[in-house]
Amino acid sequence: MRLIVIGGDAAGMSAAAQARRLLKPGELEITAFERGDYTSYSACGIPYWVGGLVDGPDELIARDPATHRANGIDVYTGHEVTGIDLRSRTVTVRDRTESFDHLVYAAGATPIRPAWADTPAQGVYGVQTLGDAAALQEWLAPGRDTAVVIGAGYIGVEMAEALQRRGMRVTLVERSGQPMATVDPDMGALVADSIRGLGIELRTGVTVQGLETDGGRVSAVVTDDGVLPADVVVLGLGVRPNTALADAAGLPLGVTGALATDLRQRVTGPDGIVDGVWAAGDCTQVTHLVSGRAMHLPLGTHANKQGRVAGINIGGGYATFPGVIGTAITKICDLEVARTGLSSKEADAAGFRFVTATVESTNRAGYFPGAVPMTVKVIAEKDTGLLLGAQIVGRAEAAKRIDAFAVAVWNRMTVTEMTALDLGYAPPYAPVWDPILIAARKAADAL
């Protein structure tokens, strides 16, 4: 059999590696095509490379092409697949065609780039790939000390921190009324206050209208709230599923514009499963297990899991990817932000009647050195007490507490059940009543 993989990062190479573990080279020939120059790398680590916290890009590469080849996977970088023919079961790459028995479509996502950003001027960068980050690093020469980051989601706030760490004057522009729109407005306000407290100029409710250039270089960002000088502009406006190639081939797309799959990562559509065609990663849609709705949620954790599931099934095993609950964390300098499940807005859109409870506590016993405040918010279904979601904003040891909430959401626990959780306690690690338990108890009282 022949397996062709389109995309050489998390999802595609996880699928290839897992299939190779189950089938010997004489049973399955695997060829992967990656249009970029790198394979199996951590795009999530790019802001920390730019900010000087980690060396790169080698530090961010888990497995290079030579390692994959040594493991029996034939990898071609700098090779973009330009066509898929489902009838002849071939792909076109450069000037040749390659046949397949199985095809894994793992083309990832493409950054959103508005028309006003489509300029030949130097100094405007996205940061989706290691190549993007390398180009940005080269541009950040001495004397270029004013940066504008557009978009205050995860990538935007992380890049704002990275550029500030380099000693630059940073303005963070966000069209909505708050940074980190994946958390509720009251929690977003805490994030906004902290960002401003770090010396980053945060402009919310501001729409970018265009760029000004000087001598072939960007010089300013034009907004409906004035002109912002800029030696460099970083785009953090999110991504779209990279499905143009799949759509052109006739592969059915889901309601989100991403590829729809079954639980085994087989591409599906109105006519059922597409034989021998699998998809994984940022080009696919997933099911939110709380709302039941399809969504596009591009994260490396999901990509690796989906790729592994596809590879097991291609290799003759059986595995499934049931869905997601929207768990995510990030940091802005020493501020930690985390969420899981549904936000209040998402719960309302999904038709839930719910209550919320917000508490302020500390990461450690209040008398212990290093104790700092954190805010925890819980969202619970009004009639049943089912935990629908949780959010945390704090500092040291705050964000990873979201994992306890994530396990509770995943296993459909009620907030009343959560009040009895046997969590670890010692003064250096938590108050005798952990913030998780306090929030669950307050939500149970609200019911």
Side-chain angles (χ1 to χ4, degrees):
M1 291 191 299
R2 295 200 74 210
L3 166 62
I4 296 292
V5 178
I6 301 176
D9 201 4
M13 300 318 293
S14 291
Q18 194 61 45
R20 172 53 70 232
R21 291 187 185 102
L22 295 175
L23 294 176
K24 298 176 181 178
E27 300 172 301
L28 179 67
E29 178 185 338
I30 305 175
T31 303
F33 295 109
E34 165 58 40
R35 66 179 178 180
D37 298 323
Y38 304 94
T39 61
S40 301
Y41 62 88
S42 173
C44 299
I46 287 174
Y48 309 110
W49 171 26
V50 174
L53 290 173
V54 298
D55 295 329
D58 292 343
E59 293 294 321
L60 301 181
I61 298 173
R63 291 181 180 83
D64 60 16
T67 302
H68 285 301
R69 293 184 190 109
N71 292 332
I73 301 168
D74 201 8
V75 177
Y76 293 87
T77 57
H79 282 63
E80 182 176 5
V81 175
T82 57
I84 301 170
D85 190 325
L86 297 176
R87 181 171 298 179
S88 65
R89 303 188 75 77
T90 58
V91 300
T92 302
V93 55
R94 291 196 173 180
D95 57 353
R96 68 181 190 273
T97 59
E98 299 278 349
S99 63
F100 64 83
D101 297 290
H102 291 279
L103 175 69
V104 172
Y105 191 97
T110 56
I112 295 172
R113 195 176 181 97
W116 53 256
D118 189 15
T119 172
Q122 294 178 296
V124 182
Y125 296 94
V127 285
Q128 187 189 22
T129 68
L130 291 186
D132 296 336
L136 173 60
Q137 292 275 42
E138 290 180 9
W139 181 255
L140 296 178
R144 294 172 183 162
D145 55 6
T146 303
V148 175
V149 179
I150 302 172
Y154 292 99
I155 286 294
V157 297
E158 290 167 3
M159 285 304 302
E161 174 193 350
L163 295 171
Q164 190 202 46
R165 286 182 61 86
R166 296 179 68 114
M168 303 186 74
R169 296 189 300 275
V170 181
T171 301
L172 180 59
V173 179
E174 170 57 43
R175 184 171 59 182
S176 68
Q178 68 174 83
M180 304 297 297
T182 57
V183 300
D184 285 348
D186 54 342
M187 303 296 273
L190 298 176
V191 178
D193 289 343
S194 294
I195 290 174
R196 292 187 174 109
L198 295 169
I200 296 171
E201 183 180 356
L202 175 64
R203 300 278 194 99
T204 57
V206 172
T207 300
V208 174
Q209 298 174 329
L211 302 175
E212 290 184 357
T213 61
D214 182 12
R217 298 177 177 181
V218 68
S219 60
V221 176
V222 180
T223 77
D224 60 358
D225 190 40
V227 177
L228 306 173
D231 297 313
V232 62
V233 174
V234 175
L235 305 177
L237 296 169
V239 297
R240 297 188 180 95
N242 183 11
T243 53
L245 179 64
D247 189 33
L251 288 172
L253 303 182
V255 294
T256 65
L259 286 163
T261 68
D262 68 358
L263 295 178
R264 300 182 70 190
Q265 298 305 132
R266 298 177 293 190
V267 173
T268 60
D271 298 325
I273 295 166
V274 182
D275 182 47
V277 180
W278 314 73
D282 294 355
C283 58
T284 65
Q285 67 183 31
V286 292
T287 299
H288 197 293
L289 297 179
V290 182
S291 69
R293 295 183 171 187
M295 63 185 305
H296 180 234
L297 191 62
L299 286 175
T301 50
H302 306 150
N304 278 288
K305 292 172 188 174
Q306 291 175 317
R308 180 177 182 273
V309 166
I312 289 173
N313 289 311
I314 291 168
Y318 184 88
T320 61
F321 180 81
V324 304
I325 56 173
T327 307
I329 61 176
T330 191
K331 65 179 284 293
I332 309 100
C333 292
D334 65 342
L335 182 74
E336 301 178 2
V337 185
R339 60 149 291 163
T340 192
L342 301 178
S343 67
S344 295
K345 181 179 179 180
E346 292 164 342
D348 186 58
F352 287 102
R353 298 173 64 244
F354 60 90
V355 299
T356 66
T358 303
V359 302
E360 294 184 2
S361 184
T362 55
N363 59 330
R364 306 171 186 173
Y367 58 79
F368 198 87
V372 290
M374 74 171 69
T375 302
V376 181
K377 183 172 186 176
V378 166
I379 301 160
E381 188 175 24
K382 190 169 186 178
D383 296 330
T384 66
L386 185 73
L387 177 67
L388 298 177
Q391 300 163 29
I392 301 174
V393 176
R395 285 178 165 78
E397 298 135 25
K400 284 298 284 181
R401 274 182 163 89
I402 204 69
D403 287 343
F405 284 115
V407 171
V409 170
W410 189 272
N411 287 285
R412 299 185 60 78
M413 293 182 68
T414 67
V415 289
T416 301
E417 289 171 330
M418 287 191 68
T419 62
L421 286 175
D422 188 5
L423 303 180
Y425 161 69
Y429 300 105
V432 67
W433 280 97
D434 192 276
I436 294 169
L437 300 177
I438 299 173
R441 190 178 65 196
K442 187 172 180 180
D445 291 344
L447 292 169

